[in-house]
Amino acid sequence: MTEVVESAQNPVILRASKRSIQSVNREWWRTAVIYQVYPRSFADGDGDGVGDLPGIASRLDALQELGIDAIWLSPFYTSPQRDGGYDVADYCDVDPLFGTLADFDALLHESHARGMRVIADIVPNHSSDRHPWFEAALASPPGSAERARYLFREGLGIDGELPPNNWPSHFGGPAWTRIVEADGTPGQWYLHLFDSSQPDFDWTNAEVREEFRSILRFWLDRGVDGFRVDVASSLVKAEGLPDRDYTLHEDLAPCTGQPGVHEIYRDWRALLDEYPGDRVLVAESWIKPLTRRAEWVRPDEMHQAFNDLFDDWDAPKLRGIIDDTISAFSAVGAPSTWVASNHDTVRQATRLSLPRSVRPNGLGPDSTGIPAYDETLPRARALALLTLSLPGAAYVYQGEELGLPEVADIPDEARQDPTFLRTEGEQYGRDGCRVPLPWVADAPSYGFGPTDASWLPQPAIWARLARDRQQNVADSTLTLYQDAIALRRSRTLGAGTLEWLPAHPSHVLAFRNGTTTVLINMGGEAVRLPAGEVLLASSPTQADTLEPDTAVWMHA
Ligand code: NOJ
């Protein structure tokens, strides 16, 4: 069994070769801080208003200063961008919007040279409808080998005018679209659990399995350190594609969590294990209960699966999620993997103060009463001190370290999320957490790129929150993240264990992780702090008082 160690004591050793990261820190992923880059919105190198790989490469110093261990890159592959790149037309190339393969190699090299690993995002449940395989399927007759790579079925009803089953698309409307056959007649239907531009593969087809093996190899050979696996629970569907029983929970739907899916990841794990350097598979799986999700991270499958995001500002609920996660994952020998925000959720600087849960499809026209930013930020900062203090790995979504809020007032004509289009504006979708980042307050596009172009409009508050306004400023959110990540490393919190502390009111989360005590006040009343040295506080604290919506780390 490999020893679990924290990276501070076992620093990365750099070698000169292309795949230079060789670490004595085995199983680095158990304790790592991983930063999610959403390439469209991180940094724009060429000024066209869309972020790109050279843009990311130009900002690596900022990530290194933040102190992260790895970058997870959301998709940058060839894509018509109907779902922000989660609609892939060529899995082995870079979309010209984002650059070239040479740009990717340079980014990987530069990241490794700074001691940061790079995790790519693989999208195996579906391709784009512009993928050559889907185009060939449309051009081929029913029953052909080309159609068999996807899930084409005859419709129900007298003329096949009804979809083959009652499954809904995650983005609204039915999960089936009917095609027009080559002779102009209405034809078969194809399955798409997401947008109609994202047809689902048929994973019972050996050709699909082989194709993905070679896609994984393509990127592993280039040197990526692993993959975040999109929609990891849904690749395998129940045989016969039966109707969904709506009296049962979504987690029991015939397109989720089918046992056969695990065989795929065991195969992938064996493939990754052929490569040197401790490469990882990360499951995007929201399946419940957590004991079931832990099946994805058994020793011969993936390395990490995301926890349940923290939606509610409610101490007993959060404690329940933390306990359930640690107990389910440690039962199979896997680390917990803490994520507070990502590119699909309302940003935590807004979400935690909303009266109701709005995950995952964003705010909508009915989301009224969003409190003012200065009232909502303290909870986001306190949550950061929670996720970064828990044992296991932690993810940071770009812009979280700047305390960015959700942008709620994007004009309808600028919105791009397919959720907005498929629900006819009933749900805004996820554009509000994807607005291009502010780097420099007094620059065009707030320093996102060299021009004032930005694929989503940036709000005026970006001037105040731009990175240059926060850098080296004692009480800024950026400084809080930097300090927290550094302390987390020096105090080996990622490799620690959690012990709840008794005798605190129920609205206070209080635990010890090694020599660090963590207290978070989620109630409306201040509480007394125990005696001791405060190492870090999410908001200004009085000598012995923990204010509402505040977290502290203390020397235990
Ligand atoms: C999950 C991704 O995080 C999300 O952005 C995407 O829309 C869906 N999977 C479909 O690929």
Side-chain angles (χ1 to χ4, degrees), residues 290 424 451 501:
L290 286 165
E424 293 173 353
T451 66
L501 296 176

Side-chain angles (χ1 to χ4, degrees), residues 303-315:
H303 302 77
Q304 295 181 342
F306 298 139
N307 72 298
D308 275 338
L309 291 139
F310 299 122
D311 275 343
D312 298 301
W313 197 244
D314 176 320

